[in-house]
Amino acid sequence: MKPLENLLRAHEGPMTSELVLRPGDFGLGRVPARLKPVSTTNTVCGFCSTGCSLRVHLDAAGQAVNLTPDPDYPVNLGMACPKGWEALAPLAAADRVTTPLLRAAGGRFAPVGWEQALRTFCGRLKHVQARHGPHSVAVLSTGQIVTEEMALLGALTKFGMGLLHLDSNTRQCMATTHVAYKESFGFDAPPFTYADFEESDVLVFIGANPCIAHPIMWQRVMSSRRQPLVIVVDPRRTETAMAAGRHYAIQPKSDLTLLYGLAHLLINRGAADEAFIRASTDGYEAFALHVRDFPPSRVCAATGLTPEELEQFAAALADREKRVSYWWTMGVNQGHESTRTAQAIINLALLTGQIGRPGTGPNSITGQCNAMGSRLYGNATSLLGGYDFADAEHRAHVARVLGLDAALIPSAKSWAYDQIVDGIESGQIRGLWVIATDPAHSWINQGRLAALRSKLEFLVVQDMYATTRTAQLADLILPAAGWGEKEGVLINSERRLGLVRKVARAPGAALSDFAIFKLIAEYWGCGKMFARWSSPEAVFQLLKELSRGQPCDFSGVRDYAHLAEARGIQWPWTEASEMAASGRAPQRQRRLFADGRFFTPRRRARFVFDHPRPMPEEPDGSYPFLLLTGRGTSAQWHTGSRTDKSAVLRKLAPRGAIIEINPVDARRLVIRAGDRVLIQSRRGEMRATAVVTPTVQAGQVFIPMHDDQVNRLTFAAFDPHSRQPSYKACAVRLKRAIQERRST
Ligand SMILES: Nc1nc2c(c(=O)[nH]1)N[C@H]1C(S)=C(S)[C@@H](COP(=O)(O)OP(=O)(O)OC[C@H]3O[C@@H](n4cnc5c(=O)[nH]c(N)nc54)[C@H](O)[C@@H]3O)O[C@H]1N2
Ligand SMILES: Nc1nc2c(c(=O)[nH]1)N[C@H]1C(S)=C(S)[C@@H](COP(=O)(O)OP(=O)(O)OC[C@H]3O[C@@H](n4cnc5c(=O)[nH]c(N)nc54)[C@H](O)[C@@H]3O)O[C@H]1N2
Ligand code: SF4
Ligand SMILES: [Mo]
């Protein structure tokens, strides 16, 4: 084994320094007088899946001074949301973890060196494996590290350490879309490009609040010169709904019935695109028969819409002269029948032939900056590169590309997140390694998870901060570098590979996740297997090879420099396309399925459908309110581990937990704005400050997911196909918490 110091040095890497500063670069930024930026580099934002490019201004040592949005990037066109502007602030936070921390005998954390940390990591987890079997150690990872790190983690754990169970927070977020696209199109392939926001005549947003969650995408919709009709389907009157032309405030989780009802009306109107259906799809007859059972009477009863509203909705989708696009996010993906709901959206686009042309498509917007990288290269549900663990030829191919023995690749799939949690409860999982996610805040029905801590013999958390809820429960904390302190590739919602640069040094002994995984490989004893995985860019070359011949083929991307030059490149970009382009950059906006050919064996898209099922926990006499959860403001990111560290972002967010209540309910319960409210479910309770607002319907309440108490309340139901949690609907009761009125 190489001495630790050499390894550490090898992974520290040089600072980025390129591109000379141009006049005007600092027009918008705040440049403290003492700091003199001397150069600028472009990097992709590490919060949401939009993938905006930021120009980071560097001092002579190559350290970031400040940043401005990139005016010449096809994604954000010179814009950034508050999180992007403040992206450097979380790096300097006081609670960054700067050395490995090991829980000592008295229960307190003690700083230790990497040598001890790595020996403890390997020793303890191997001990668990020796006692309870190789699969008794599981991993929960993330959609928020670079693709090269995800792939290395997936390969290290499954091929090197002999683990089987690896899942990530992508399960909480994008599993539904992954399964829905795979079944309908034959591959997990979002078809759109962001120009479709501007090219569309009718945009339908279902369970999506882009004004808050994807502000730059929303800006593009708002700035469209086509003056499109924007339709929002959301039980709440969100900021997005307020700005839209039409808002259908349906009953929560009535989407599937609504979408089948729309298909029924479209078919009756003769709006089916029969030529497209015949040439490019399978299963239409059965689908048409299925939706006959969804007449307006049934749909109106389930959704709360009037027959006129429903007709008007269908009419907007029926016009063949118009380009219609459908966009969905967590209001769809986080549900008990979410996969079929996502597919019901896909079916509407297939039925009307609204796919493969500008301004069309059934388009899922992703959440985290690298959800798409995780879906392709997480090595969790699919084998690296979108392959299948169960297929011997796929295993042999992946092994060949990576220079591995195919026998090292498991043929079985990992347990999903919820099954890993069940495995902890049943004693089958005894060791857990958590990377860049905070399940003790974000997992559904959090009380149960917390109770399971004592069942784990060893819990390792790898994070930028030691203060996360899960880190506080850990036996060992590994200090990680964050976005901006390392390099690699993120894949955004429109399949664009974008480059993240190192613009700051990680504090203390914190290391990039890449470096930590490499060190673990060495100390575990499988370092040789990863000799070719020598740097993020070397791994990028391996991933590129793995993509060759797949729908996500990006073999035409030469290297990182090519990505930077071309301003990000959308997959697919094959070697053949690169040759044909003979030196010209790829077109800046490319969409899939223009030829009406899909990725299924018959090259046809499939109509997939099912019967709607009742909500798992409906409100009743004891728990009369339906709780909805989701994003609160554009300044808050999930658990707040990063965004709470910016003074600017803190000012843009409410203080503490809030609950939105309809005025009718508030009056009945004698709750006034600013009162403290006690919210109880069958699982747990929390307190929050009342915001009385008609944006939520009577009988429903909304609590942003950023407060760490909200998942005490949620009910652990899952979609059976994607196993994604249904975070957005459970029954609660409320009352004013006596003598706790807070002035607002
Ligand atoms: N500022 C900010 N931006 C973010 C994030 C963040 O934390 N903060 N997180 C990122 C991530 S990872 C994700 S996944 C995305 C999420 O992005 P979105 O999905 O847009 O955000 P949510 O607020 O979770 O949910 C969207 C809407 O679904 C609605 N909804 C609830 N139940 C139903 C239902 O049954 N039917 C329908 N039609 N709608 C319903 C809610 O009222 C909510 O307005 O945002 C990304 N962007
Ligand atoms: N009730 C309810 N719950 C929800 C949702 C909801 O709508 N309602 N939404 C769900 C969804 S869609 C999502 S995506 C999840 C998000 O839930 P989480 O994944 O738990 O939330 P984050 O705050 O994004 O956690 C990321 C962690 O990674 C750390 N980190 C950031 N960068 C790095 C890095 O480069 N390396 C390492 N090692 N660590 C890093 C951060 O400090 C942070 O602690 O929440 C889910 N939970
Ligand atoms: S919209 Fe998303 S990617 Fe763009 S600046 Fe904001 S957080 Fe970053
Ligand atoms: Mo997400």
Side-chain angles (χ1 to χ4, degrees), residues 135-140 158 163-167 413-416 420 429:
H135 302 161
S136 61
V137 173
V139 183
L140 293 175
K158 292 205 172 173
L163 311 187
L164 183 59
H165 303 306
L166 156 73
D167 204 6
K413 266 193 193 165
S414 164
W415 280 343
I420 292 177
I429 301 288

Side-chain angles (χ1 to χ4, degrees), residues 209 213 233-234 236 253 255 329-330 631 633 636 638 728:
N209 187 10
V233 180
D234 193 312
R236 294 190 305 135
K253 300 292 164 260
D255 303 69
T329 321
M330 289 310 122
R631 275 74 201 157
T633 67
Q636 289 167 288
H638 298 157
K728 293 214 176 334

Side-chain angles (χ1 to χ4, degrees), residues 415-443:
W415 280 343
Y417 204 129
D418 65 302
Q419 294 166 312
I420 292 177
V421 174
D422 288 348
I424 301 172
E425 181 147 59
S426 66
Q428 287 163 282
I429 301 288
R430 304 290 185 119
L432 187 68
W433 180 16
V434 177
I435 299 130
T437 185
D438 189 3
H441 177 136
S442 56
W443 185 243

Side-chain angles (χ1 to χ4, degrees), residues 421 424-425 440 445-456 473:
V421 174
I424 301 172
E425 181 147 59
N445 185 13
Q446 172 198 103
R448 173 163 175 248
L449 194 77
L452 296 180
R453 170 61 190 97
S454 59
K455 295 220 160 198
L456 287 171
L473 301 172

